[in-house]
Amino acid sequence: MTVDEAAHVPVVIVGAGPVGVTAALLLARRGVRSVVLERHRDVYPLPRAVANDDEIHRILQAAGVGEEFTAISRPANGLRLLDSRHRVMAEFRRTPHGHHGYPQSSMFDQPELERVLRDALDRRPECELRGGVEVTGVGPDTTGPVRVTYRDEDGGEHELWADAVLGCDGANSLTREAIGGVWEDLRFEERWKVIDVDTTGPVRCWEGVDQVCDPARPATFMRVSENRYRWEFRLGEGQETVRELVAPWLPSSYDGDFEVVRETQYTFRARVADRWRSGRVFVLGDAAHLTPPFVGQGLCSGLRDAYNLTWKLARVLLQGGDERLLDTYESERKPHARHVVRLAVAMGWAMTGGQDSAAAFRRRALAAACRIPGLTELAGRDLSPPLTAGPLVRRGVRRGLAGTHCPQPGVSVGGRRTRLDDVLGDAFAVLTAAEPGPALTALAHGLGVPAVPVADLGDDGTLAAWLRAGRADAVLLRPDRVVIDVVPSGGRDFTSTAAWASLLHTTRSPVPSERTAPKSLLRSTTR
């Protein structure tokens, strides 16, 4: 066993997929060093995930690759449910300008996203990627420092010691096994064929995702990029060829270019790990939850995990934050992930209606429900509901802004147009509907963050309207832009400062964020 020369590192990340690399980038932007261990030498070249939403685009912005992702992605119209004859039953429209400042739905090629993330990782001195290695052990002590062993391509055995370990190592996670986690089965398992095709042919599409609700042959179809298309079909008894399966989307006479990039079979499962943390060892992404692909949220949930955990871990590691802060990772993310998994399962059932005696009734009920005015719009909003109440989400009897995300409009600062998060930086922030009073000023000063009147931001009134609709005069935003607490309309202070202040208390001076608010906005914290 070789003890690496730099044997102690703040964070070891197991797995260099999109979740692991995004976590490394988010930590790096807060000054936390990490070593990423990955069994492959290079990006896996075949497409897998193909869709994300505006919240995920905002997370990629926070990781420093927002513009790069914009360049490789394609806005999509949303989701349609089709019957067995491909007639539209319901339509869940997505807009080009969502709550988070990006298209509500985007298509992309996962290898291109991974290359963007890897290139950004190469530019960060805080990150080191070690490819071509196999992690062989985590722990057994998970309370820290945590021992991580791995084997290189030459068979050499190595060990590292980490203050924290993030297991982004997929469905067969060794890290999950190390913390004693087991799967909770949410009772969905089906075999599907996935086909990715390159063609310049006249493929019939609406620039969104189609779910064909046919119990005999349920299918999913989408355009991923200019000439790339994806089809997914539940496996049946027949052995149709690719061209036979995709025939409804192409003219029968078409005989032009048609390259099958990938044809494979997957088992779609719905599972959530019963535990996501032991001491300083955590699981993220597919190591923590498996989501059927019917609402395009599998990778999205993993990136939400990374965003939720990394700011908390950085605060504990660098600023002496309370260890209880790390408890909120599982308590916040697990219910949220379970909700998304169940939503995907419900969509899967909507596509097939099931195979039991009540299947025909469920299909008729679905068709009828889709005709109810406003129902499809309401259902389409529920992909990312507010976080449940907890130490970092102070939700009262009336559900307000706490636990929801602050919108991200375009803002004007110093005559330059930019995005809100680029102005606020990576830290906490207080947004106020008016000039902050002494209590807000003191609290903001204690957290070392700006108290920003939204009227100063030049955002065309988006933030003021959001505060007004939420009956709030001010909000405290977490670094992941979730509202912790509010000052109710006409109030003078936050509703429950004592409940969350102890968790945010640090024993060391704050480490400066890479992105900080302009000085013109900081003036309100020192008045």
Side-chain angles (χ1 to χ4, degrees):
M1 178 73 67
T2 300
V3 178
D4 292 24
E5 183 177 346
H8 182 270
V9 293
V11 178
V12 167
I13 298 174
V14 184
V19 176
V21 176
T22 299
L25 291 172
L26 290 167
L27 287 170
R29 290 170 74 85
R30 300 180 184 282
V32 179
R33 293 187 301 109
S34 65
V35 171
V36 185
L37 303 176
E38 167 59 41
R39 62 193 179 103
H40 297 294
R41 275 286 178 189
D42 202 356
V43 168
Y44 186 72
L46 295 179
R48 286 163 291 166
V50 293
N52 75 4
D53 57 34
D54 54 326
E55 180 185 347
I56 302 311
H57 204 151
R58 189 176 188 177
I59 293 173
L60 294 173
Q61 174 193 346
V65 295
E67 295 307 314
E68 289 91 336
F69 180 73
T70 297
I72 65 167
S73 61
R74 182 187 188 94
N77 283 336
L79 170 70
R80 296 192 307 188
L81 301 184
L82 310 181
D83 65 14
S84 59
R85 295 170 62 184
H86 288 210
R87 295 174 301 187
V88 177
M89 299 167 60
E91 192 173 286
F92 303 89
R93 276 276 175 178
R94 296 292 181 261
T95 72
H97 305 288
H99 184 79
H100 298 275
Y102 294 100
Q104 284 186 306
S105 181
S106 294
M107 311 304 296
F108 64 95
D109 182 52
Q110 183 169 332
E112 289 188 349
L113 170 61
E114 291 200 41
R115 178 54 58 201
V116 164
L117 291 168
R118 291 278 188 100
D119 289 347
L121 197 73
D122 288 343
R123 297 192 294 268
R124 301 298 315 204
E126 304 91 344
C127 306
E128 180 186 353
L129 172 61
R130 301 182 186 180
V133 305
E134 179 187 0
V135 175
T136 55
V138 175
D141 184 6
T142 60
T143 57
V146 181
R147 182 173 180 258
V148 179
T149 57
Y150 67 93
R151 181 184 301 116
D152 62 28
E153 292 173 317
D154 297 325
E157 301 281 349
H158 303 264
E159 71 175 36
L160 290 167
W161 291 86
D163 295 323
V165 176
L166 309 188
C168 307
D169 46 347
N172 299 316
S173 170
L174 179 146
T175 312
R176 187 182 62 250
E177 181 180 339
I179 66 173
V182 297
W183 285 124
E184 173 192 351
D185 193 343
L186 299 186
R187 301 181 180 235
F188 185 93
E189 185 168 322
E190 290 185 348
R191 294 280 294 170
W192 285 62
K193 181 190 288 286
V194 179
I195 302 165
D196 289 281
V197 169
D198 265 337
T199 180
T200 58
V203 180
R204 178 173 56 84
C205 68
W206 79 301
E207 302 299 340
V209 178
D210 280 340
Q211 304 279 20
V212 181
C213 303
D214 179 0
R217 176 62 79 191
T220 304
F221 165 71
M222 66 209 74
R223 184 178 189 175
V224 179
S225 59
E226 186 66 27
N227 298 321
R228 174 73 58 83
Y229 301 86
R230 170 170 291 183
W231 284 269
E232 298 169 355
F233 300 92
R234 192 179 67 188
L235 290 173
E237 295 181 0
Q239 298 293 324
E240 295 101 324
T241 66
V242 169
R243 290 302 294 265
E244 289 172 332
L245 288 170
V246 307
W249 287 270
L250 278 168
S252 57
S253 59
Y254 180 70
D255 193 31
D257 64 302
F258 190 88
E259 178 190 357
V260 178
V261 177
R262 183 184 66 149
E263 178 184 358
T264 190
Q265 295 180 11
Y266 279 108
T267 299
F268 296 156
R269 294 184 172 93
R271 295 178 176 177
V272 177
D274 66 334
R275 62 186 308 184
W276 294 28
R277 175 198 179 197
S278 175
R280 290 284 187 84
V281 181
F282 307 83
V283 290
L284 299 80
D286 285 354
H289 41 76
L290 297 177
T291 309
F294 306 120
V295 290
Q297 289 289 302
L299 176 59
C300 296
S301 290
L303 294 180
R304 290 191 188 100
D305 296 342
Y307 203 25
N308 184 287
L309 176 59
T310 50
W311 74 263
K312 299 170 182 176
L313 186 58
R315 194 167 184 89
V316 171
L317 293 180
L318 293 186
Q319 297 171 230
D322 195 306
E323 193 81 12
R324 292 176 300 158
L325 194 60
L326 302 178
D327 294 335
T328 66
Y329 166 61
E330 180 174 341
S331 66
E332 290 181 350
R333 285 296 307 136
K334 188 175 179 181
H336 196 275
R338 181 182 280 111
H339 168 86
V340 170
V341 173
R342 285 177 170 161
L343 191 65
V345 169
M347 184 63 74
W349 279 106
M351 290 175 65
T352 65
Q355 303 301 314
D356 58 19
S357 59
F361 171 77
R362 282 195 294 270
R363 287 192 292 276
R364 288 194 297 271
L366 171 67
C370 290
R371 291 192 291 271
I372 298 175
L375 182 63
T376 56
E377 181 182 354
L378 180 64
R381 287 198 209 115
D382 204 29
L383 290 177
S384 186
L387 295 182
T388 54
L392 295 179
V393 176
R394 306 311 302 168
R395 300 183 73 176
V397 176
R398 288 191 201 170
R399 292 195 171 185
L401 297 180
T404 69
H405 283 89
C406 171
Q408 181 179 214
V411 298
S412 295
V413 176
R416 184 173 64 91
R417 199 72 180 162
T418 186
R419 299 182 187 275
L420 176 67
D421 290 357
D422 291 331
V423 171
L424 298 181
D426 294 313
F428 293 85
V430 175
L431 296 183
T432 71
E435 289 294 326
L440 283 186
T441 299
L443 184 142
H445 183 75
L447 287 173
V449 302
V452 183
V454 296
D456 291 356
L457 290 169
D459 68 330
D460 300 324
T462 298
L463 293 169
W466 173 68
L467 289 171
R468 189 165 51 251
R471 299 179 181 177
D473 283 346
V475 292
L476 174 61
L477 302 181
R478 306 177 350 173
D480 56 5
R481 298 301 163 240
V482 171
V483 177
I484 293 185
D485 203 350
V486 305
V487 176
S489 295
R492 295 184 176 181
D493 203 352
F494 290 101
T495 63
S496 189
T497 306
W500 46 260
S502 62
L503 267 68
L504 302 184
H505 175 73
T506 59
T507 59
R508 295 193 287 275
S509 298
V511 175
S513 169
E514 179 182 282
R515 296 184 298 162
T516 56
K519 291 181 180 179
S520 61
L521 297 180
L522 291 175
R523 57 184 172 82
S524 59
T525 67
T526 56
R527 286 183 174 177

